[in-house]
Amino acid sequence: MKQIFGVFILALTSFFVSAEDGHNLWLRNSKSKPVNVVCLKNSPTLTIAKQELQLGWQGEASASISLKIKQDKAIIGNGFKISKNEIQANTGFGILYGVFELLRRQQTGEEIIPAIVNASYERRILNHWDNPDGSIERGYAGGSIFWRKNNSFEVTENDKKLWQEYARANASVGINGTVLNNVNASPLILSKEYLERVKAIAEMLRPYGIKTYLSVKFSSPSLVGGLKTSDPLNPDVIKWWNDKIHEIYNMIPDFGGFLVKASSEGQPGPQDFGRTHADGANLLADALKPFGGIVMWRAFVYSATDEDRAKQAYLEFMPLDGKFRDNVIIQVKNGPIDFQPREPFSPLFGAMKKTSIMPELQITQEYLGQSVHLVFLATMWEEFLKSETYQEGSGSSVARCTDGSIFPQKHTAIAGVANIGLDTDWCGHQFAQSNWYAFGRLAWNNQLTSEQIANEWLKLTFSQSNSSSDQSGTSDDWNDHFLKPVQKMMMDSRETAVNYMMPLGLHHIFAANEHYGPGPWWAPKGMRKDWTPPYYHKADSAGIGFDRTQTGSNAVSQYHEPLGSQYSDLKTCPEIYLLWFHHLPWDYKMKSGKTLWDEICYHYDTGVQQVREFQKVWDKVRPYVDPERFSQVQSKLREQCINAQVWKDACLLYFQQFSHRVIPFEIERPVHDLNELIKNDLKRH
Ligand code: GCV
């Protein structure tokens, strides 16, 4: 009888959980109470702020809230002062951020204590790798929301609606800039037709405090300007950029500036003309300066030399420290290689002391299961931002080295490569939305914990009291049976992916260019060595791992002491980075007492078991989730589980050819055949 009753309750609960497709993201506030908003000034931004309060107010019914623009030196830029019934700011954008903060606190039940809230970074920017033909490099959630195939430039009502929704979502987490096109930039973006569309986009984003930026191709003067050269010191080239920038600001007066990938992965750059990165960046910076624009110049550079790829950006950029204009920011990926599931931080952070540096994170999960695997990236970003660089003594975390707390940077910024596309749920996976959310939250406050972010996001995105449904799963019940287990799953999810993909410091062992499935064997004839996994894992009969100590590439020397020595010394090197810095024998004794080979096996197996647990967690929370979002996540977890098993089998069977050791018998045996796996690269469905 008890059982039947239980099933009945379950069925009833699910019935009341109304359908949602995820399009509303974390902004599902339809159960608001009346509120009286007092605001003496008017502007499009303030109108939005008032509307948001009316849409989402969950404080005392019919309370009054005052929005006050009043200068206060303690409030920096678009920061704000918040209390239960008043938001004060220097600007309308500050008011809008304050409103979103207040609403979030109301909706998540977080206390509203009077405080001044300033952002960690002045510029919090999404990078879209969207191409003019509507495709997205490393995009897994449909086509571009900005660009369409067949050069269709008509701005439709649908476009405008989508851009506005996009702007609102960004503003709600404090994102205030967006680069609208791929860093592998088409020169077309600077043509009149494209700029007209940029202008239309900018108009929709402006009231939400979001500036538009563009990626530009360094050779644009010759490619679209018809010049014979794009040499940054050539007067005609300088004039061409000046004129182009003038044209842009005539159309978009608050344009943010340029992002540039130059002399990198085949992209043209100043080095084609015997010039330096500084020559190239300064040319654009000088032209942008009169309009207040900035240049984000990427440090993602490596060439096919014998030098360890992990060392190259540092080698190329350190000699240029102090040579860049003050409106140039060097944009550095979090790790020295390329957005791997785990990397130590790039040694450039904190090392370039006379140059502004900004971190680049990847929100789109190129190397982390794309839009199939549930991986909450905030734990990775927290690990990165809190990494100790020792550059100015202890306490010199990456966060503090980049947000102006230690170095007097003229501009501070952080970028995230967006995971947004035309899919109804924007990101291709309900949980991938949490990474967009988390990027914004960390960009606003780089001291936040990933746990707090997961907690907020889950409450906003899944809580029934934030939906239009009448059902309100009692809070305790919801907290215990949904929030706690799902939050734990999110918190564990990145380490899980590291376990089944590349534990203990292994990196870049993907098959082919898709960067999805495993391919430790992948090394097509004629391929650049540093684009193939054997270059990174270096497995042989003696052992596995990349020796980056003094006996190897000596990349450790790029880290400030005592870090360099810590990484070098096996006694102090964190095991999470072990095979990043060391080549070790298969029988090397780990801290657990196991051999390295056994430890590798256990990590892969643990990863698979963890995904199986995630499946159970999710299946159990069915009564608390609407059917549409529930089944999307359920089926993605099934695929993730199959994929994790493939990763484990592929890596263990492949490395076993070198280790010649058995897979410990407590571990479930591989179920795949290595030759079959090698023949058929894992495909995303
Ligand atoms: C936009 C990696 C990616 C490329 C990307 C490049 C970059 O190599 O695989 O798709 O190109 O990084 O960040 O420039």
Side-chain angles (χ1 to χ4, degrees):
M1 184 59 197
K2 222 171 161 186
Q3 241 172 5
I4 296 175
F5 186 67
V7 171
F8 175 71
I9 294 283
L10 204 115
L12 207 67
T13 322
S14 325
F15 176 77
F16 281 117
V17 181
S18 57
E20 292 194 46
D21 56 16
H23 191 71
N24 291 336
L25 298 158
W26 49 88
L27 296 164
R28 302 149 57 244
N29 41 11
S30 42
K31 258 181 127 187
S32 61
K33 297 183 190 156
V35 60
N36 175 28
V37 185
V38 182
C39 179
L40 298 180
K41 295 202 171 138
N42 259 321
S43 75
T45 304
L46 289 172
T47 304
I48 294 169
K50 286 180 226 164
Q51 280 165 356
E52 289 296 340
L53 281 170
Q54 265 133 14
L55 254 177
W57 183 259
Q58 290 191 13
E60 206 186 308
S62 306
S64 276
I65 166 116
S66 129
L67 306 181
K68 205 189 272 173
I69 299 197
K70 188 175 150 211
Q71 303 308 306
D72 182 335
K73 279 204 186 115
I75 302 175
I76 298 165
N78 296 322
F80 53 87
K81 196 167 170 183
I82 191 173
S83 65
K84 266 193 183 154
N85 296 93
E86 182 171 289
I87 291 164
Q88 183 197 320
N90 298 328
T91 64
F93 299 137
I95 296 284
L96 185 60
Y97 294 138
V99 163
F100 278 122
E101 171 92 15
L102 184 73
L103 293 175
R104 195 189 57 248
R105 283 173 182 260
Q106 288 180 347
Q107 287 158 18
T108 57
E110 210 185 312
E111 236 186 316
I112 301 163
I113 308 164
I116 288 182
V117 184
N118 290 316
S120 299
Y121 296 97
E122 169 197 290
R123 300 185 191 226
R124 307 168 295 274
I125 303 178
L126 286 181
N127 286 185
H128 287 265
W129 287 357
D130 295 19
N131 298 311
D133 68 358
S135 63
I136 305 181
E137 181 155 350
R138 312 303 177 186
Y140 313 104
S144 169
I145 62 168
F146 301 120
W147 314 109
R148 262 197 300 271
K149 253 193 202 145
N150 312 324
N151 292 348
S152 163
F153 294 105
E154 188 203 348
V155 175
T156 65
E157 284 311 305
N158 259 349
D159 287 337
K160 286 195 194 164
K161 182 169 171 278
L162 201 63
W163 298 339
Q164 189 183 17
E165 289 170 345
Y166 164 85
R168 176 179 180 232
N170 281 328
S172 76
V173 287
I175 291 169
N176 67 355
T178 178
V179 183
L180 300 174
N181 63 314
N182 192 352
V183 286
N184 289 327
S186 160
L188 282 180
I189 204 71
L190 293 177
S191 64
K192 185 99 188 97
E193 287 156 314
Y194 280 93
L195 289 179
E196 283 294 346
R197 198 165 166 87
V198 173
K199 181 179 175 206
I201 298 169
E203 273 158 19
M204 297 308 295
L205 307 191
R206 186 168 298 123
Y208 288 88
I210 297 162
K211 275 186 196 282
T212 44
Y213 298 76
L214 289 175
S215 297
V216 292
K217 203 175 193 77
F218 197 74
S219 52
S220 297
S222 22
L223 291 178
V224 288
L227 301 188
K228 288 209 180 78
T229 178
S230 294
D231 180 347
L233 301 192
N234 178 292
D236 292 337
V237 171
I238 297 173
K239 180 172 180 331
W240 188 87
W241 280 112
N242 279 332
D243 292 348
K244 183 49 79 181
I245 286 166
H246 216 97
E247 181 190 338
I248 295 176
Y249 278 92
N250 266 337
M251 298 168 78
I252 309 153
D254 57 348
F255 182 69
F258 291 151
L259 170 63
V260 192
K261 172 175 178 178
S263 300
S264 157
E265 293 191 330
Q267 289 297 324
Q271 293 175 347
D272 302 344
F273 310 95
R275 314 292 184 196
T276 67
H277 286 288
D279 294 328
N282 292 343
L283 152 81
L284 300 175
D286 288 342
L288 286 160
K289 182 95 182 176
F291 305 96
I294 62 161
V295 177
M296 294 167 285
W297 191 269
R298 294 177 92 227
F300 179 62
V301 295
Y302 62 99
S303 47
T305 60
D306 283 342
E307 202 58 84
D308 175 4
R309 172 171 167 186
K311 286 171 66 181
Q312 295 191 31
Y314 184 98
L315 291 175
E316 223 169 297
F317 276 83
M318 278 306 282
L320 299 173
D321 192 18
K323 301 220 157 70
F324 293 93
R325 301 282 191 265
D326 67 4
N327 58 335
V328 174
I329 312 191
I330 305 300
Q331 183 166 313
V332 183
K333 288 188 181 183
N334 58 294
I337 302 269
D338 192 9
F339 298 136
Q340 296 302 291
R342 172 167 276 127
E343 296 187 45
F345 69 88
S346 160
L348 278 171
F349 291 108
M352 288 184 84
K353 300 180 197 302
K354 292 178 268 171
T355 307
S356 300
I357 301 279
M358 62 186 280
E360 177 178 324
L361 308 173
Q362 196 181 42
I363 310 169
T364 191
Q365 291 167 234
E366 173 181 357
Y367 294 102
L368 278 140
Q370 301 175 7
S371 55
V372 177
H373 297 201
L374 188 160
V375 185
F376 178 53
L377 300 173
T379 48
M380 170 160 84
W381 299 334
E382 184 184 2
E383 177 179 298
F384 159 70
L385 288 166
K386 292 195 171 146
S387 293
E388 175 59 89
T389 71
Y390 292 105
Q391 286 288 349
E392 294 291 313
S394 65
S396 314
S397 62
V398 170
R400 298 191 71 240
C401 284
T402 51
D403 67 7
S405 319
I406 297 184
F407 303 110
Q409 302 196 183
K410 168 96 186 193
H411 297 287
T412 61
I414 186 165
V417 181
N419 60 351
I420 296 159
L422 282 171
D423 278 5
T424 308
D425 65 13
W426 300 88
C427 302
H429 191 311
Q430 300 297 333
F431 278 78
Q433 296 178 356
S434 66
N435 293 327
W436 176 6
Y437 180 87
F439 168 75
R441 296 288 290 128
L442 278 172
W444 181 275
N445 179 356
N446 62 13
Q447 302 301 315
L448 278 183
T449 65
S450 44
E451 192 153 18
Q452 163 157 1
I453 297 172
N455 182 279
E456 282 174 10
W457 179 79
L458 281 169
K459 285 177 176 166
L460 297 171
T461 308
F462 286 103
S463 156
Q464 288 310 305
S465 53
N466 283 330
S467 83
S468 51
S469 143
D470 273 347
Q471 143 78 23
S472 55
T474 63
S475 223
D476 282 350
D477 176 54
W478 189 83
N479 283 347
D480 291 346
H481 297 106
F482 181 86
L483 183 63
K484 279 189 194 148
V486 180
Q487 185 174 318
K488 177 163 179 357
M489 170 171 79
M490 288 174 76
M491 292 303 292
D492 291 346
S493 60
R494 183 278 187 128
E495 202 60 49
T496 297
V498 169
N499 279 333
Y500 65 72
M501 285 183 175
M502 14 203 126
L504 299 169
L506 287 172
H507 51 288
H508 225 310
I509 55 174
F510 295 91
N513 301 311
E514 296 303 312
H515 300 159
Y516 186 66
W521 53 81
W522 192 74
K525 249 203 177 136
M527 177 71 65
R528 261 175 73 157
K529 274 213 228 111
D530 56 357
W531 283 349
T532 70
Y535 170 91
Y536 297 99
H537 62 65
K538 305 215 183 300
D540 55 24
S541 57
I544 183 168
F546 200 127
D547 182 2
R548 293 194 165 103
T549 68
Q550 291 82 346
T551 54
S553 78
N554 203 19
V556 287
S557 66
Q558 294 182 340
Y559 289 92
H560 199 284
E561 284 302 330
L563 215 49
S565 305
Q566 262 170 35
Y567 288 154
S568 251
D569 186 346
L570 278 171
K571 286 199 265 344
T572 48
C573 180
E575 287 194 343
I576 51 170
Y577 301 135
L578 198 63
L579 304 176
W580 183 283
F581 288 114
H582 298 270
H583 188 268
L584 294 172
W586 297 106
D587 284 334
Y588 172 79
K589 258 280 174 34
M590 301 290 292
K591 289 191 183 122
S592 64
K594 294 189 186 85
T595 64
L596 173 59
W597 166 249
D598 282 2
E599 187 86 17
I600 291 175
C601 294
Y602 275 103
H603 272 278
Y604 276 103
D605 190 60
T606 302
V608 176
Q609 300 309 327
Q610 284 172 304
V611 186
R612 297 223 167 107
E613 278 308 311
F614 293 173
Q615 288 187 283
K616 288 184 205 158
V617 167
W618 191 250
D619 282 357
K620 272 199 216 157
V621 300
R622 181 177 216 139
Y624 303 92
V625 187
D626 49 284
E628 197 171 336
R629 292 191 296 172
F630 176 80
S631 28
Q632 188 219 55
V633 175
Q634 185 184 50
S635 85
K636 299 233 177 213
L637 279 170
R638 286 180 185 153
E639 195 174 342
Q640 183 175 353
C641 195
I642 296 168
N643 290 178
Q645 178 82 52
V646 168
W647 267 97
K648 168 189 157 185
D649 292 2
C651 295
L652 292 189
L653 292 173
Y654 173 77
F655 291 135
Q656 194 176 33
Q657 300 178 123
F658 303 95
S659 78
H660 301 294
R661 277 146 181 86
V662 292
I663 295 170
F665 290 111
E666 299 81 8
I667 287 176
E668 282 176 20
R669 317 321 287 163
V671 295
H672 296 96
D673 178 78
L674 181 60
N675 290 326
E676 285 302 312
L677 293 174
I678 293 178
K679 243 194 296 166
N680 307 307
D681 282 346
L682 183 58
K683 298 275 179 303
R684 196 160 37 94
H685 292 296

